[in-house]
Amino acid sequence: MDASVLLALRDPAGVPFYPIVFQILYILTWALHAAFVLLSLGAMGLSLYGSAKGNQDKHWSILTPHLIQTGKISVSILIVLGVAPLLFTQVIYDPNWYVTNTLSGMWIFIFVYTMIVGYCMYYWYYYAHKAQRTGHSLIGFVSFGILVFAGILMHSFAVTSIMPHDWMNMYAPNGIVNTSGWTFNMDIIRLAFMVSLAIPVVGIFLQNYSRFLSTRKDFDASFISYSAKLGTNFAVVGLLISAVLFVLWMLQIKYLFHPVSIATIIGVLVLLAMAKTNRNSYYTTLVLVVVALLISTMRELIRFDIMSALGYSIYDYPMNLEIPSIVMFLSTFLIMGFVGVAYLLTMAWKVGKREGVFDGSKDVVVTKLGQATLYIMIAWMAIYFAWGITTLFKNIL
Amino acid sequence: MDIIGQFPLFYFPEYGSAWMMGITGTIHILFSHTSVGAAMLFAFLAHKAYKENRSDYYPYMKKYGMFLLIFSYVLGSITGPGIWNTATAASPRGISALIHNFVWVWATEWVFFIYEVIGVFVLVYFIDRIDRKTHLKLTYTFALASVGTLALIIGIISFMMWPGTQAFYATGSASDAFFGINTFPHMFLRIGFMIMMSGVIGLVISSSMRKENEELSNELSRKMGYISIIGGFITMFFFVWYMGTLPENAHAVFAFSKDAIIQNRIILTMVFIAYFAIAIIKPKLINPVIASVMIGVILISGLWSGEKLRESMRKPYVAGQYIYSNQIISRDVPGKNIKSELPIIAEKGLLHLNPFVPARLKTITDENKREAGELLAKMACSNCHSLEKTGVFRPLKDRLTGMDKEGIKSILYVIGEGGMSYMPTLKLPETEYDAIAEYFASLHY
């Protein structure tokens, strides 16, 4: 695939803002999305172990339903967070995204319905486990398998999208056009590394879980200590496995000595030390976020280099600057997004920290954040309609 | 080297690829509309519960919320990006046009989605863990966030039909593309449907509570009946207004099946008025099975046919009346420096310009004519029509029955000259017309 074709595949409307902004947003939002993919994978996987153990073990009888719940909520959040990188990637790397989607059209369709079946079964698993129905572990295993398969499909799309040299051969092997949409590609080491990260992520989650519940009187100290230890073991072993796989992946693609790769390895080592000592898992989580951003940057770097070598640079994408809609996005994201999410998370945090009913109306922070969220949303609606009516009047009168 | 930015083609045998988007889209509309409607309903119920001290409403809201979590936030949230994925496989350039015009609008919608998804878990799981005043405020913000998602997507799907005015073509501005004359009627039409759906789903929940509390079940069923009727009326009112804002080509397609559609809508309206009236007058007669069947009726008779109609009325375009369904840019958009590809296609042909056509098919010969014709037919026709003799989705076998090569070619000429308003004005070089006609004739429809 030469540069002239890749450049022709760009959308003729151009990009509405500086491409680097989309690139940064892609890196940020992919890291967020991946964090919840890994958490759901880890929590679901570990819940299966707990589920198989049954209710005999006093610690696991508490931990398992919490892990199932964590997996359940994480899947919802990973889906919604996944929308953003999906959006930003097709603004600047539209050739890659659209070629992949058409080459793998059947798999795309299967992916959507695999997710639906897998996630519905996961809810079934949640309710079956709650009621301790026979076979709940089996339901959990099947749903986990289906969701992992969906993840493998997403991996295949990512791999195909960075194989522009082979697209023509995938579409028309030996000059015979194949419109079936069954293209499937895998990079085992890359996939193994990504999947392996679920182990340290669930480990650090367990450390946080234990720390969070340590102030609750209705949780036994032995349980708090058990979950913290379990978390540390998972985090340490998982980080070691991930580090080995990362080095193998970097060796395979010859990026081991790239500054981003070295920074990632250092980040993993710092993480390892922090997770092992478990002094304050909240700080460990912050370092985990940095490492996630570095991994996201590495993925982007690989794609950027592959495309640049072919003469496709996102920075040369023609631009048709579009100011009003980016102002809308930035103000919504920075004002409503941060205040609103802070409101919900503060409330969730405070509810989780105590037994019984939390009276938010007597909590100054929650009340103020709630009031601010409500007013911001009302103002947003007013601006939206004023903007729409003004635009319409301008264009039709 | 002359190239137009066309992507590889994905074709699902017998059906084409567009139906995949249709199925996913229809399912998504049911769930997403229900979720916005339910968010408004929650705010209404929470308001009443708080002001009138009706603590018995909370278990209903919790039950409804749990149902909603699976119904809307599992199925709805997956089919949302799912439409995007399947639409991309079927119409990559159509989706690309939307993305490159509205990326920030979509990104803004994403912010609302995040609030909605975290919000629904907080709302449902903490209903017994937070005080009612705080819960009430939460339901207000949740409802506003849900309506916000509609406010943002509506301009994009309205633009798919057409930009509403000519301003967008000159300015290329997302505001001009977003706020067309059809945007607001379309928005309120959907708000009406959302309100109605919240009542329809609410009837499943309220009727399922009969054993626990018959009096409350009947009271809530009556309320759901009233809410559904109000929603249905708003839908009908704005539907008429919306239809008046659509372009001529949409009306040309609508005219084909106008009588059948009107008849279908009258029957549906009568059935649902009767259903809602029963909910109000004799709520005892509604049970979860009947209520669930009515959701199925809406899905199949209302939504599936409605979405098929909306897709048909957009023809021959897929977005903004500048991209045809077959992924060809059909007009200049000076505001975005976009040029029509029709002149160069007429001169050089699709095979020559499409970068994914293998070298051996770039030039038509006697040996490859039928194969080239098949590929051309897929490129030019398969987004809307299934090609095989056994095709199911808008099959060409029904349109070209018994025709020979010359007859088929004469139809292609008429289409190329713009003789059918709902077909793309796609003029091709003679060799390509000939190859397509040869291929179709070889199928002996």
Side-chain angles (χ1 to χ4, degrees):
Chain A
M1 195 88 341
D2 63 31
S4 61
V5 173
L6 292 171
L7 297 178
L9 292 176
R10 296 183 305 193
D11 195 281
V15 286
F17 207 67
Y18 300 95
I20 193 165
V21 174
F22 292 104
Q23 192 179 29
I24 293 167
L25 284 170
Y26 173 80
I27 291 170
L28 279 174
T29 53
W30 185 87
L32 267 174
H33 164 68
F36 282 91
V37 171
L38 298 169
L39 179 57
S40 63
L41 200 60
M44 284 192 288
L46 197 54
S47 82
L48 293 175
Y49 172 76
S51 186
K53 251 178 124 62
N55 268 353
Q56 308 306 320
D57 186 298
K58 65 171 182 168
H59 294 326
W60 282 95
S61 65
I62 303 170
L63 192 56
T64 307
H66 287 180
L67 285 169
I68 297 176
Q69 182 80 312
T70 304
K72 191 181 86 180
I73 295 175
S74 297
V75 175
S76 249
I77 295 179
L78 80 86
I79 292 167
V80 73
L81 288 175
V83 171
L86 196 71
L87 181 62
F88 298 129
T89 194
Q90 56 192 305
V91 176
I92 47 177
Y93 288 108
D94 34 349
N96 308 62
W97 174 254
Y98 297 122
V99 169
T100 303
N101 264 255
T102 47
L103 288 176
S104 302
M106 265 324 289
W107 288 119
I108 289 280
F109 188 67
I110 290 168
F111 169 75
V112 174
Y113 290 89
T114 300
M115 278 297 294
I116 288 179
V117 173
Y119 199 20
C120 284
M121 281 197 75
Y122 196 77
Y123 264 85
W124 184 14
Y125 169 47
Y126 167 75
Y127 284 113
H129 180 269
K130 210 170 171 182
Q132 283 297 302
R133 273 192 216 119
T134 337
H136 65 264
S137 295
L138 179 67
I139 300 165
F141 271 104
V142 174
S143 110
F144 182 67
I146 293 173
L147 289 170
V148 168
F149 175 64
I152 291 171
L153 288 181
M154 195 41 98
H155 163 80
S156 164
F157 306 146
V159 172
T160 303
S161 80
I162 53 169
M163 297 171 73
H165 292 98
D166 301 316
W167 288 342
M168 195 62 215
N169 197 37
M170 291 174 200
Y171 182 56
N174 304 314
I176 310 290
V177 174
N178 176 358
T179 56
S180 66
W182 283 111
T183 296
F184 183 89
N185 290 293
M186 274 180 85
D187 179 341
I188 296 292
I189 296 180
R190 179 178 163 133
L191 177 66
F193 164 67
M194 294 293 176
V195 171
S196 75
L197 289 168
I199 309 169
V201 166
V202 78
I204 293 167
F205 166 79
L206 283 173
Q207 290 183 336
N208 285 331
Y209 168 84
S210 152
R211 192 174 183 82
F212 181 81
L213 292 180
S214 61
T215 54
R216 289 261 301 253
K217 291 190 178 71
D218 50 339
F219 283 89
D220 195 58
S222 68
F223 173 71
I224 300 296
S225 146
Y226 178 78
S227 49
K229 242 182 238 164
L230 187 70
T232 304
N233 291 342
F234 267 91
V236 171
V237 174
L239 281 167
L240 288 171
I241 296 172
S242 299
V244 172
L245 287 167
F246 182 73
V247 171
L248 285 175
W249 179 33
M250 290 299 103
L251 279 170
Q252 179 199 18
I253 56 171
K254 301 184 177 63
Y255 272 74
L256 186 59
F257 297 107
H258 191 281
V260 179
S261 170
I262 292 168
T264 309
I265 293 166
I266 293 170
V268 169
L269 292 175
V270 173
L271 212 47
L272 193 60
M274 290 176 84
K276 183 147 178 51
T277 52
N278 192 16
R279 282 207 189 97
N280 187 334
S281 61
Y282 298 155
Y283 291 129
T284 316
T285 308
L286 289 179
V287 178
L288 180 68
V289 171
V290 175
V291 172
L293 286 170
L294 285 167
I295 294 167
S296 185
T297 308
M298 177 51 79
R299 285 178 83 254
E300 170 53 15
L301 183 73
I302 294 165
R303 176 168 62 174
F304 183 84
D305 286 352
I306 289 171
M307 296 306 284
S308 296
L310 289 169
Y312 180 97
S313 169
I314 57 165
Y315 302 132
D316 299 332
Y317 211 123
M319 190 167 55
N320 276 311
L321 210 56
E322 166 63 40
I323 298 299
S325 60
I326 192 177
V327 170
M328 173 176 72
F329 166 67
L330 283 178
S331 50
T332 308
F333 181 59
L334 296 173
I335 303 171
M336 195 205 88
F338 276 85
V339 175
V341 171
Y343 168 52
L344 296 174
L345 295 184
T346 308
M347 189 161 25
W349 179 276
K350 294 195 173 191
V351 171
K353 272 287 182 189
R354 75 195 64 206
E355 297 156 60
V357 174
F358 165 67
D359 191 347
S361 63
K362 289 185 182 144
D363 186 291
V364 181
V365 180
V366 168
T367 304
K368 281 195 172 166
L369 281 171
Q371 207 63 27
T373 305
L374 188 60
Y375 289 151
I376 291 166
M377 285 182 175
I378 293 169
W380 190 97
M381 282 290 167
I383 294 168
Y384 170 87
F385 281 104
W387 180 21
I389 291 164
T390 311
T391 307
L392 260 181
F393 277 9
K394 176 177 70 85
N395 290 336
I396 63 175
L397 293 181
Chain B
M1 189 178 169
D2 297 311
I3 303 171
I4 57 172
Q6 290 204 305
F7 294 94
L9 190 105
F10 163 53
Y11 179 72
F12 190 92
E14 315 283 325
Y15 289 85
S17 43
W19 70 276
M20 292 180 159
M21 183 180 76
I23 289 179
T24 313
T26 305
I27 298 171
H28 177 70
I29 286 166
L30 179 71
F31 302 136
S32 60
H33 283 51
T34 302
S35 97
V36 180
M40 292 189 275
L41 179 68
F42 273 23
F44 168 72
L45 289 175
H47 179 82
K48 276 191 95 61
Y50 182 74
K51 296 288 174 194
E52 296 168 15
N53 200 21
R54 290 289 304 268
S55 54
D56 53 339
Y57 280 3
Y58 289 98
Y60 176 69
M61 281 192 274
K62 175 141 188 166
K63 212 167 180 184
Y64 198 136
M66 292 305 287
F67 184 76
L68 198 69
L69 266 181
I70 302 175
F71 195 71
S72 285
Y73 287 86
V74 174
L75 304 171
S77 67
I78 296 172
T79 47
I83 297 183
W84 217 350
N85 282 324
T86 47
T88 303
S91 293
R93 292 186 98 190
I95 290 292
S96 176
L98 297 178
I99 294 286
H100 287 83
N101 279 302
F102 298 115
V103 57
W104 296 123
V105 179
W106 251 313
T108 311
E109 193 193 13
W110 174 72
V111 179
F112 280 98
F113 277 147
I114 290 178
Y115 189 87
E116 235 191 332
V117 169
I118 303 174
V120 75
F121 283 111
V122 174
L123 198 70
V124 173
Y125 287 115
F126 294 165
I127 194 165
D128 306 320
R129 303 278 319 269
I130 50 175
D131 66 287
R132 285 170 183 180
K133 197 175 173 186
T134 307
H135 180 263
L136 177 65
K137 201 181 285 170
L138 186 61
T139 58
Y140 288 157
T141 59
F142 182 63
L144 281 167
S146 292
V147 174
T149 61
L150 168 72
L152 287 159
I153 197 66
I154 202 72
I156 301 175
I157 51 177
S158 298
F159 174 81
M160 285 178 79
M161 180 65 81
W162 77 305
T165 67
Q166 295 299 306
F168 162 73
Y169 300 117
T171 63
S173 148
S175 314
D176 291 332
F178 191 91
F179 293 110
I181 54 167
N182 51 342
T183 306
F184 288 126
H186 194 187
M187 181 179 185
F188 287 100
L189 148 71
R190 286 185 184 265
I191 284 183
F193 185 70
M194 287 162 171
I195 293 172
M196 190 183 89
M197 279 311 297
S198 74
V200 171
I201 302 286
L203 280 168
V204 179
I205 319 290
S206 60
S207 60
S208 72
M209 292 171 76
R210 190 153 295 127
K211 272 186 193 160
E212 300 150 37
N213 187 340
E214 186 168 358
E215 203 185 326
L216 180 68
S217 162
N218 290 343
E219 183 200 332
L220 286 168
S221 293
R222 266 187 220 104
K223 273 200 170 62
M224 294 306 124
Y226 283 120
I227 285 168
S228 301
I229 281 199
I230 293 168
F233 175 75
I234 297 172
T235 310
M236 299 283 285
F237 180 81
F238 282 97
F239 174 72
V240 176
W241 186 0
Y242 173 67
M243 288 299 289
T245 63
L246 299 185
E248 276 174 30
N249 63 303
H251 284 283
V253 175
F254 183 62
F256 281 121
S257 40
K258 193 174 177 179
D259 293 341
I261 293 164
I262 291 174
Q263 196 181 12
N264 165 285
R265 297 289 130 160
I266 290 172
I267 294 170
L268 268 181
T269 308
M270 301 304 285
V271 167
F272 277 91
I273 286 178
Y275 176 54
F276 300 143
I278 291 169
I280 295 166
I281 300 161
K282 281 266 177 209
K284 282 180 189 171
L285 296 179
I286 309 283
N287 62 47
V289 176
I290 294 175
S292 304
V293 168
M294 293 312 272
I295 297 174
V297 173
I298 290 184
L299 182 69
I300 295 160
S301 309
L303 277 178
W304 173 247
S305 60
E307 285 309 301
K308 253 172 58 181
L309 176 68
R310 196 165 65 93
E311 192 247 358
S312 300
M313 286 168 71
R314 222 167 41 215
K315 298 294 171 199
Y317 305 98
V318 69
Q321 291 210 322
Y322 76 91
I323 297 186
Y324 282 149
S325 296
N326 55 14
Q327 312 300 294
I328 291 167
I329 294 175
S330 62
R331 64 166 288 171
D332 293 348
V333 182
K336 289 274 188 198
N337 303 316
I338 294 172
K339 298 268 176 232
S340 167
E341 292 167 349
L342 295 179
I344 194 169
I345 291 173
E347 185 194 339
K348 305 207 166 167
L350 280 170
L351 293 176
H352 176 76
L353 296 168
N354 185 316
F356 286 94
V357 170
R360 54 179 281 275
L361 292 177
K362 286 278 180 194
T363 307
I364 297 171
T365 63
D366 286 342
E367 287 72 39
N368 71 13
K369 190 187 275 185
R370 205 166 283 181
E371 191 184 353
E374 182 182 356
L375 182 60
L376 280 164
K378 281 184 179 172
M379 286 157 67
C381 318
S382 75
N383 197 278
C384 304
H385 302 282
S386 51
L387 308 176
E388 296 83 350
K389 242 179 139 170
T390 46
V392 178
F393 191 72
R394 288 198 201 105
L396 282 181
K397 70 178 168 66
D398 293 350
R399 275 119 178 125
L400 304 175
T401 315
M403 294 183 86
D404 64 4
K405 184 177 169 182
E406 289 312 309
I408 293 166
K409 221 196 259 187
S410 63
I411 290 181
L412 296 177
Y413 290 150
V414 172
I415 293 171
E417 293 303 323
M420 298 182 193
S421 65
Y422 49 90
M423 296 289 285
T425 308
L426 181 60
K427 195 169 188 170
L428 296 170
E430 180 57 29
T431 48
E432 295 199 346
Y433 276 142
D434 193 61
I436 296 175
E438 169 122 353
Y439 166 66
F440 284 144
S442 75
L443 293 174
H444 303 290
Y445 288 132

